[in-house]
Amino acid sequence: MNVKFSFDKAIVEQRGFTLEDVYRTIKSLFAAHGFPCGSKGDILSFTDKGHGDDFATMWDIILSLLRSEWFVKCATSCVWQDEDSEEDILSQAGKA
């Protein structure tokens, strides 16, 4: 399982932040639970650790982000991937 995030730099800066601020915030949420970050360019990617509770923990983090106004305004993508499927989480932000 993994989740990937990307952000709109212009919107982030309009809100008084930098991409580095956003990346640091997202990374700290996942790092607190030991999830590794694999960044490729402007995309942040976090992968599970292979533990039974990884799914629930990762979703808790994602849902907390979806409930925050800054994240929904600044994110351009939030995609959940598991073995055989991919889900666009950002498009469901209003349901969180």
Side-chain angles (χ1 to χ4, degrees):
M1 302 178 275
N2 70 58
V3 61
K4 296 179 182 178
F5 302 95
S6 62
F7 298 90
D8 184 315
K9 182 179 179 180
I11 293 174
V12 168
E13 290 175 351
Q14 286 174 357
R15 296 185 62 83
F17 304 114
T18 65
L19 279 178
E20 291 77 23
D21 294 330
V22 171
Y23 293 166
R24 187 174 28 260
T25 299
I26 302 293
K27 286 179 179 180
S28 70
L29 292 170
F30 283 89
H33 298 281
F35 293 113
C37 177
S39 297
K40 292 185 180 180
D42 292 335
I43 297 176
L44 293 178
S45 177
F46 299 91
T47 305
D48 70 288
K49 301 175 293 181
H51 298 144
D53 63 343
D54 288 353
F55 177 85
T57 304
M58 289 178 85
W59 272 102
D60 281 345
I61 296 167
I62 293 166
L63 288 173
S64 70
L65 289 168
L66 290 173
R67 289 182 186 111
S68 64
E69 181 185 349
W70 72 266
F71 176 81
V72 176
K73 299 281 186 195
C74 297
T76 56
S77 71
C78 176
V79 177
W80 173 267
Q81 296 176 317
D82 63 21
E83 296 159 0
D84 52 354
S85 67
E86 183 174 290
E87 188 173 353
D88 177 1
I89 303 303
L90 197 56
S91 70
Q92 301 175 35
K95 299 177 187 176

